[in-house]
Amino acid sequence: MNVLPINALSSLIHLAQATPAAKSFDPIAITNQLLNGVGIIGILLLTGLGLSITFGVMRIINLAHGEFIMLGAYTSFVLQSNFKMDLLLTIPFSFLFTAFIGAIVELTIVRRLYGRAVETLLATWGLSIVIQGVVKLIFTAQLKYVKAPPYIRGNWTPFQIGGQAIEISYYRLFIIFMALLLLGITAFLLYGTKLGREVRAVTQNRDMAKCLGVNTSLVDMLTFAYGCGLAGVAGTVISSLKSVAPPMGQDYLVDAWMTVVTGGVDKLIGVLAGAVLIGESNAGIAYLINDPTARVIVLAAVIVLIRYRPEGLFTVQKRS
């Protein structure tokens, strides 16, 4: 008569022994996880920076942004496989190629849809499907690989404690360096050049800028092309982290939108703030629980933030 309770008790004991214990506080492990979050910040900043130009400055809902990231990665693959070029040397070519494609898209599609958000959304969504299809026809759906140069491989170990090392990969440091460099260049172009003043003038009052002699059509084309070029650079930089494939841009599109809308679409500092907040939150929660749950929690937090602060963390103060 006592066989069933004894078996049930033994099953509970076995289950308790098989359940992993809660993670103890390990400062070395936590530090390494937060350093990995720095790499996530760099990726978010890279992928969101171009979107902050096309959406934050031009108010264009570009659902093909992920495909421009993919085009940048394929540009690096072609140059590296055919001409044995170093990854860093392919960056300017990726920028120029994707910027050129972006200029064509602005001239042929986007220019006719300014002020019509729904039509722009549908047009760029269809464009993303077309670009993926063309890439599949040229390169097939087979995965491609881009090699990182040997001088940014491996890990950097600042110091060790009790046999445990705090380390971060050189490639993640390279990613965050490139992201900050592009952020600085973009800020200089927007706030320190004549073209940047014209871009901000067109954004704030298009009709007045046109009356003052600003070529608004040229400004629109250059701005959209620059945002697409930044997406191409992002594709090149992150191409060594994952395999290159036609749908790869979709993996980064949602994260890029989250970064832009969290920080605010009116200032570049908002993109940086959104990348830091999402990147480190994701890394910290992933250490405590797991990565899929962390992504769900961060996404839910972003939704709540947008619900109660739709302008994001940073926004331009405008006169009423």
Side-chain angles (χ1 to χ4, degrees):
M1 294 180 62
N2 293 330
V3 174
L4 183 59
I6 292 175
N7 289 338
L9 181 61
S10 62
S11 299
L12 289 175
I13 294 174
H14 177 73
L15 179 62
Q17 292 175 345
T19 302
K23 290 186 178 180
S24 59
F25 179 79
D26 187 347
I28 303 297
I30 293 176
T31 303
N32 283 325
Q33 184 70 13
L34 294 179
L35 286 176
N36 288 333
V38 172
I40 300 175
I41 292 172
I43 294 173
L44 293 174
L45 186 55
L46 278 173
T47 56
L49 190 57
L51 192 61
S52 71
I53 300 298
T54 56
F55 178 62
V57 175
M58 301 186 66
R59 297 296 190 270
I60 298 298
I61 304 176
N62 184 15
L63 292 186
H65 181 75
E67 275 57 51
F68 284 98
I69 295 175
M70 178 262 292
L71 288 177
Y74 269 100
T75 302
S76 295
F77 166 74
V78 170
L79 293 175
Q80 192 175 88
S81 59
N82 293 332
F83 302 101
K84 310 301 179 183
M85 290 184 65
D86 188 281
L87 178 68
L88 270 64
L89 296 179
T90 66
I91 291 177
F93 294 95
S94 296
F95 175 82
L96 292 174
F97 177 70
T98 51
F100 175 72
I101 299 297
I104 294 176
V105 169
E106 198 279 334
L107 288 171
T108 57
I109 300 175
V110 175
R111 178 163 295 185
R112 296 169 171 79
L113 301 175
Y114 285 120
R116 297 154 61 184
V118 176
E119 288 88 342
T120 306
L121 186 149
L122 293 175
T124 54
W125 176 63
L127 177 64
S128 69
I129 297 175
V130 171
I131 292 176
Q132 282 196 40
V134 171
V135 171
K136 286 180 181 179
L137 288 175
I138 297 175
F139 298 99
T140 73
Q142 186 177 1
L143 302 180
K144 312 296 182 183
Y145 300 94
V146 176
K147 295 181 180 179
Y151 49 84
I152 54 176
R153 296 177 189 169
N155 296 324
W156 175 52
T157 305
F159 54 86
Q160 295 183 348
I161 300 177
Q164 290 182 301
I166 293 178
E167 57 185 17
I168 182 172
S169 68
Y170 287 113
Y171 200 84
R172 291 184 182 273
L173 292 175
F174 165 70
I175 289 175
I176 192 65
F177 170 77
M178 286 297 304
L180 294 176
L181 177 64
L182 292 178
L183 180 65
I185 293 174
T186 303
F188 172 74
L189 291 176
L190 282 180
Y191 300 105
T193 64
K194 178 183 177 182
L195 177 61
R197 290 191 294 270
E198 292 180 349
V199 169
R200 289 182 285 123
V202 171
T203 302
Q204 295 175 10
N205 194 323
R206 176 179 295 272
D207 294 333
M208 180 61 70
K210 186 180 295 186
C211 291
L212 294 175
V214 177
N215 189 340
T216 57
S217 298
L218 179 62
V219 169
D220 290 336
M221 185 193 70
L222 293 178
T223 305
F224 190 84
Y226 181 72
C228 295
L230 290 178
V233 174
T236 291
V237 173
I238 64 181
S239 60
S240 293
L241 293 178
K242 295 180 63 177
S243 55
V244 179
M248 66 172 292
Q250 298 299 318
D251 297 337
Y252 299 100
L253 181 62
V254 175
D255 291 338
W257 278 105
M258 287 172 53
T259 302
V260 172
V261 300
T262 298
V265 299
D266 293 310
K267 282 191 173 183
L268 290 178
I269 188 64
V271 186
L272 178 60
V276 172
L277 181 63
I278 294 176
E280 288 298 345
S281 298
N282 201 336
I285 298 174
Y287 173 79
L288 296 175
I289 310 175
N290 55 63
D291 187 64
T293 305
R295 292 180 64 86
V296 171
I297 294 175
V298 170
L299 177 60
V302 170
I303 293 173
V304 172
L305 174 65
I306 296 173
R307 168 63 179 84
Y308 292 100
R309 191 177 174 84
E311 70 275 13
L313 297 175
F314 294 86
T315 187
V316 173
Q317 297 297 325
K318 298 180 181 179
R319 294 181 180 180
S320 59

